[in-house]
Amino acid sequence: MKFTQRTRGIVQAIAVVLSLAVPVMFAISAADARVGGGGSSGSRGTRTYSAPPSTSTAPGTAQPMNRTMTQPGSPGMAGPAAAGAASKGGFFNRPGMGMLGGLAAGFLGAGLLGMLFGGGMFSGLGGLSSIIGLILQIGLIILVVRLAMSWWQRRNATASAYAGPAPGAAVGPGAQTSFRTGTGFGLGSGSAPLEILPADYEAFERLLGEVQAAWSNEDVEKLHTLATPEMVSYFSKDLEENKARNDINKVTDVKLLQGDLAEAWREGDTDYASVAMRFSLVDKTLERGTGRLVAGSDTPTEATEVWTFVRPRGANWELSAIQQTN
């Protein structure tokens, strides 16, 4: 088949799009392993958009939320209210993505890219070229949206980094002082607005293992007893995506290596505690049914994350957010 100059240009453009998109898709699939998908999700009440203070366990900055139902400037929805908001989520409904999300949704819904190029980017080239043109348009839309979201996340991270400690956070020379406990956690200096007791740290460590176990067993009912409705909605979505790929993620041998309190505070009748945890785990993704290894290995790996827990006063702690650390 003889290639015209225009067709050759189409092929080259598709090659460029694929060279940019494939690494991105591979990075996403590689991160979709342990519970939380290796991203930052959930709500921290009114501090959702404030980075938790650094600790000796996590000296870097916690990454901003990739998925959250808390709108900027509004109280967090870590409790039952988050369940009703789950249906309002979606790719273009993320906080701060109003203009960018609307623009992207407009491209997809109204086909504005096609209009910009005169009824379709390659509408005059016939059947095969039209399909190629459609693929190219979709690829360009995905790249534009991902670039816009990356820009927003960088902007939000920068704003959080310079925002300073959240109101009521532990500050001062002794704020980062901690000592080791039998559970592997370091207890804070006690200057935090909410006192966290040894029994609380035991609950945090127990939740670390129980959440990972329920995730590995795909036990959504159990997850509902361990995490907020918001977090369970994310876990359920990730589990469904694993099933669609015919994969199952198994996380075993979870062991807390080091942990300490980043901050603890109270909002009305609700208590919050953000703790940095460095833990080891065996993280494997298997082909469903055959057990063939798809990703990971039997060799333990380490992860450092900031987990935020929430409880109504007098009730049990639940997981309300997971943040990756830089």
Side-chain angles (χ1 to χ4, degrees):
M1 182 175 67
K2 186 175 181 181
F3 286 92
T4 64
Q5 186 173 359
R6 174 176 284 185
T7 304
R8 188 178 297 110
I10 295 172
V11 173
Q12 292 174 346
I14 292 175
V16 171
V17 170
L18 290 177
S19 67
L20 293 173
V22 169
V24 171
M25 290 186 291
F26 178 81
I28 295 171
S29 62
D32 289 339
R34 66 180 183 271
V35 64
S40 297
S41 306
S43 296
R44 301 177 62 244
T46 58
R47 303 188 185 188
T48 299
Y49 293 95
S50 297
S54 60
T55 72
S56 59
T57 300
T61 304
Q63 295 179 9
M65 300 298 184
N66 304 119
R67 299 183 292 187
T68 182
M69 294 176 186
T70 301
Q71 299 298 317
S74 69
M77 293 189 296
S87 60
K88 299 181 181 179
F91 190 74
F92 299 112
N93 225 9
R94 299 185 180 184
M97 289 296 292
M99 181 185 71
L100 298 174
L103 180 61
F107 277 140
L108 291 174
L112 291 181
L113 281 181
M115 294 174 60
L116 289 174
F117 289 98
M121 187 176 288
F122 305 107
S123 58
L125 297 181
L128 177 61
S129 296
S130 296
I131 294 174
I132 295 175
L134 175 62
I135 294 173
L136 181 58
Q137 290 183 55
I138 294 173
L140 289 173
I141 291 172
I142 292 173
L143 287 175
V144 169
V145 172
R146 289 200 63 82
L147 288 172
M149 291 179 63
S150 297
W151 169 83
W152 172 257
Q153 291 172 8
R154 287 195 301 270
R155 174 186 171 186
N156 192 43
T158 302
S160 297
Y162 287 95
V171 295
Q176 299 303 324
T177 302
S178 64
F179 60 90
R180 302 287 294 176
T181 70
T183 65
F185 275 104
L187 299 184
S189 63
S191 58
L194 176 66
E195 184 180 9
I196 300 299
L197 303 175
D200 298 318
Y201 289 100
E202 292 174 2
F204 301 154
E205 183 173 7
R206 184 175 64 253
L207 284 168
L208 172 66
E210 290 181 350
V211 168
Q212 302 282 6
W215 162 266
S216 294
N217 295 329
E218 299 184 328
D219 190 345
V220 177
E221 183 177 351
K222 179 66 174 178
L223 286 169
H224 273 290
T225 69
L226 305 172
T228 62
E230 177 183 2
M231 291 301 288
V232 175
S233 72
Y234 301 142
F235 297 156
S236 299
K237 180 177 181 294
D238 293 342
L239 289 172
E240 288 300 322
E241 290 178 354
N242 282 346
K243 291 179 180 178
R245 292 192 294 266
N246 201 35
D247 290 341
I248 183 169
N249 181 234
K250 290 292 186 180
V251 177
T252 58
D253 299 330
V254 180
K255 181 180 179 181
L256 180 67
L257 303 176
Q258 182 181 351
D260 48 20
L261 178 68
E263 57 182 344
W265 70 101
R266 179 169 289 157
E267 297 180 10
D269 290 330
T270 304
D271 297 338
Y272 289 88
S274 291
V275 296
M277 296 190 287
R278 181 172 63 88
F279 54 95
S280 64
L281 71 166
V282 174
D283 187 357
K284 297 187 296 185
T285 300
L286 309 175
E287 185 177 61
R288 192 178 299 271
T290 67
R292 182 179 64 86
L293 183 66
V294 175
S297 69
D298 291 317
T299 303
T301 59
E302 289 188 11
T304 300
E305 298 175 333
V306 176
W307 285 33
T308 296
F309 301 93
V310 65
R311 68 177 177 189
R313 194 174 304 180
N316 295 324
W317 290 103
E318 293 182 336
L319 174 66
S320 68
I322 297 176
Q323 289 173 275
Q324 302 305 310
T325 57
N326 295 321

